[in-house]
Every structure is written in structure tokens, then in C-alpha cells.
Amino acid sequence: MKIDPLFKQLATEKLLKTTIRAPSRLNLPPNSLRFALEQMSRVFPKSDQVSIRELKLTGLKVEEIKAQDEATQLILYIHGGAFFVGSLTTHRAYLTQMAARTQMQVLHVQYPLAPEYQFPDAIEALLRLYKDLLSQDIQSKDIILAGDCSGTNLALALALRIREEKLAQVSGLMLASPFLDLTLTSESIRYNAKLDAMLSPKALKTGIEYYVPRGYEHGDAKISPLFADLSGLPPLFIQVGSKALLLDDAKRLHQRAEAAGVQSSLKIYTGMWHNFQLFHAWFDEGQQALADLAEFAHSVDLD
């Protein structure tokens, strides 16, 4: 029996508000939230067209997800979770689908989480990993940086560090539901506060409190890369839902990138919430988001 799409969406939003959004507003220990999210993520279906191999690179746990042995293009994926939750487990199913759709190798990284590690530990760890990939003769033109939520913050910050250190730059960035302004001045945080099924302002504030050490300005461009000079960056593809709390982070990034002369594409998915892509199995919008990511990934494949 086919379920009415509107009923399915409303039921999913109610479930998410009860199981994820509401608990995120409580002062639960990070480990409790991490465990709960990992258990819930097990309902997401993994693709049976890929292989998964556990690795350790520069001290970080990494999963290599491949749909074919000879894949040369690599998506370096940095998961989200407001800097303090999220793991290889929470995003595994989604990234198996990404690997299957793109036929590219996905390298999924478990970076150091807050509050155990604060800025700039995660960025420095990711920079070491990127340098290690280049030292293995992986060409930068074959690497795409990708992430969601706080992972987009780290991905963009990493691209800026790559530029700063005059390293070979990646071919593109794929940023889903970006969390880039830690001053929380995006207007959508106010007008989508009750519409976003996944994310609450409280969760963002908790993540910022955990991630940013005392004495640092939240508007520092290295912490809030939305405010950085974006010139010289590779092409961007930005995805966000129309109900997302961080909708305006995505819009503002697109505007600032274009103003800096960077090729940027923004797609807003009607009726979708923060990180809706993780629910690709149940919504046409999630399937379309995967198809759009694959199209962009192939467009920046320079071979």
C-alpha cells in the first residue's frame, strides 16, 4: 500500500521532533546523545553495491566506502552533528548510497569531537589527513570535500587552510545544510525555529559552547567561515531544506561566494528540514538530493 507523501512527511516530522529535537534541548551528556543517535541511525538502509573498509590515517578512524575497485575520484566526507555528536555509524548508510550513486570512493572521517576537543583541533587533524592523502600521490583534482551541518564548517575551513598554505586545492565542495555562522545571526534561526524537525536553536548553542574555547570570538572567520574571504575557492554546491533552521547560512554563503567570484550553486528543497538527506530512503527529495550531488561531483571531475 502506497502511503500518502504528505502524511509520511508530517508523521516523520512529528517523530523527529519527539526523538531528536526535543532531547537535544535537554542538558544530556554528549555521550548519551551520541549513543541514541547511533542506535536510531541503524534503521537507515545501506546500499548493497559497495564495500566498506575500516582504516586509520594520521591517527583518525576512517571508513573507505567503494562501489568499484578502480575508483580514482575521492569524496572526503566530514559528518555533521553540531561539532559534538555524529559518527561513522550515524552517516554510514547515507554515504553508502552516495558512493553507489557517484561510483566514487567515499572517505568518511571521524574527526575529534567537542567538548573533548575544541577549535582548532578538528581542523588541524583534517589538514594533516589531507596532507597525508597528497603524500600518497592522490591528486587534489581527484578530491571533493563534502559534509553536512558542522561538517560543512570544517570542510570550508579546511579549503581555506589549503589555500592559506598554498597546497594543491580540491576540485569542489559539496555542502549540505551548512552551519557556518556561529554568531547565529541568520534570520532563518528565528522564522524556521518551529518548522525544522531535526534541529533546535538550543542544540546549536550547545555545540558552539562545546566547540569554541573561551576567549575566542564567535565571528572569527576561522570559526565562522561564512565571514572569510572566499576568493579563489573551487566550485561550491550547496543543499538546504526550505524549513531548515540554517536556511539563511546556505543563502548567505551562496551570495558571498558569487560576490567573491566563486562558482556556486544553491538548491533549496521545498518542505525539507535540516539534514533531510539522511532520510533519502523515504522521501523523493532525499533521492533527488543524492542525484544532484552525483551530478555535481561528475561535473567537477577533471579527468
Side-chain angles (χ1 to χ4, degrees):
M1 181 180 71
K2 187 172 182 180
I3 301 174
D4 177 73
L6 179 58
F7 173 80
K8 183 166 59 172
Q9 179 174 335
L10 293 175
T12 302
E13 288 184 4
K14 185 173 182 179
L15 177 65
L16 292 175
K17 286 179 179 179
T18 302
T19 60
I20 295 180
R21 183 183 163 95
S24 75
R25 290 181 289 187
L26 305 174
N27 291 319
L28 298 175
N31 282 335
S32 298
L33 289 172
R34 292 168 189 167
F35 178 78
L37 286 175
E38 289 195 352
Q39 296 310 303
M40 283 186 279
S41 71
R42 297 182 189 279
V43 304
F44 299 139
K46 295 190 288 288
S47 171
D48 59 5
Q49 302 173 34
V50 304
S51 63
I52 302 175
R53 182 166 68 119
E54 293 183 3
L55 304 171
K56 202 158 191 179
L57 298 174
T58 61
L60 299 179
K61 290 182 179 179
V62 174
E63 282 189 346
E64 176 192 73
I65 307 172
K66 297 176 74 171
Q68 54 176 323
D69 290 338
E70 301 304 319
T72 55
Q73 286 76 28
L74 185 154
I75 298 172
L76 180 57
Y77 197 91
I78 307 169
H79 70 75
F83 299 106
F84 71 101
V85 295
S87 68
L88 300 179
T89 301
T90 58
H91 287 63
R92 184 177 294 125
Y94 171 56
L95 295 181
T96 65
Q97 301 293 339
M98 184 183 293
R101 287 290 189 115
T102 62
Q103 293 293 295
M104 295 179 179
Q105 174 184 351
V106 175
L107 208 59
H108 184 201
V109 185
Q110 181 60 67
Y111 58 88
L113 292 177
E116 295 89 341
Y117 299 91
Q118 294 185 299
F119 172 85
D121 293 346
I123 297 170
E124 295 299 332
L126 291 166
L127 183 61
R128 287 193 296 272
L129 175 61
Y130 183 72
K131 290 178 177 178
D132 184 61
L133 293 177
L134 296 183
S135 74
Q136 297 178 40
D137 294 329
I138 297 174
Q139 298 186 61
S140 64
K141 70 179 182 63
D142 293 330
I143 301 175
I144 298 171
L145 277 180
D148 62 277
C149 187
S150 55
T152 67
N153 184 300
L154 297 172
L156 185 55
L158 177 57
L160 292 166
R161 285 295 303 276
I162 290 168
R163 184 191 66 185
E164 178 185 323
E165 298 209 6
K166 296 182 170 54
L167 299 171
Q169 187 61 270
V170 299
S171 63
L173 289 101
M174 302 192 299
L175 307 176
S177 303
F179 178 23
L180 304 171
D181 174 9
L182 274 60
T183 67
L184 300 183
T185 54
S186 280
E187 279 294 305
S188 56
I189 294 174
R190 176 180 56 80
Y191 64 72
N192 275 347
K194 294 183 179 180
L195 296 178
D196 195 318
M198 275 278 284
L199 191 61
S200 69
K202 170 64 175 175
L204 292 179
K205 291 173 183 175
T206 299
I208 293 167
E209 179 184 339
Y210 285 160
Y211 177 65
V212 183
R214 291 189 179 186
Y216 280 79
E217 293 291 334
H218 292 177
D220 185 318
K222 292 180 179 177
I223 291 172
S224 294
L226 178 67
F227 304 125
D229 171 13
L230 303 178
S231 60
L233 289 184
L236 309 181
F237 179 49
I238 308 160
Q239 293 183 327
V240 70
S242 66
K243 291 183 177 180
L245 204 65
L246 296 170
L247 171 62
D248 284 349
D249 274 34
K251 289 181 175 179
R252 293 160 70 198
L253 173 63
H254 175 61
Q255 293 164 357
R256 287 181 58 84
E258 287 198 321
V262 175
Q263 180 184 327
S264 178
S265 300
L266 168 66
K267 185 158 184 181
I268 301 173
Y269 298 79
T270 303
M272 292 292 102
W273 51 86
H274 182 74
N275 272 19
F276 72 93
Q277 296 89 339
L278 296 178
F279 301 85
H280 57 273
W282 300 305
F283 294 98
D284 291 342
E285 292 85 355
Q287 292 294 323
Q288 186 60 54
L290 278 167
D292 294 338
L293 285 170
E295 182 180 356
F296 174 80
H298 293 139
S299 76
V300 296
D301 178 3
L302 303 179
D303 286 340

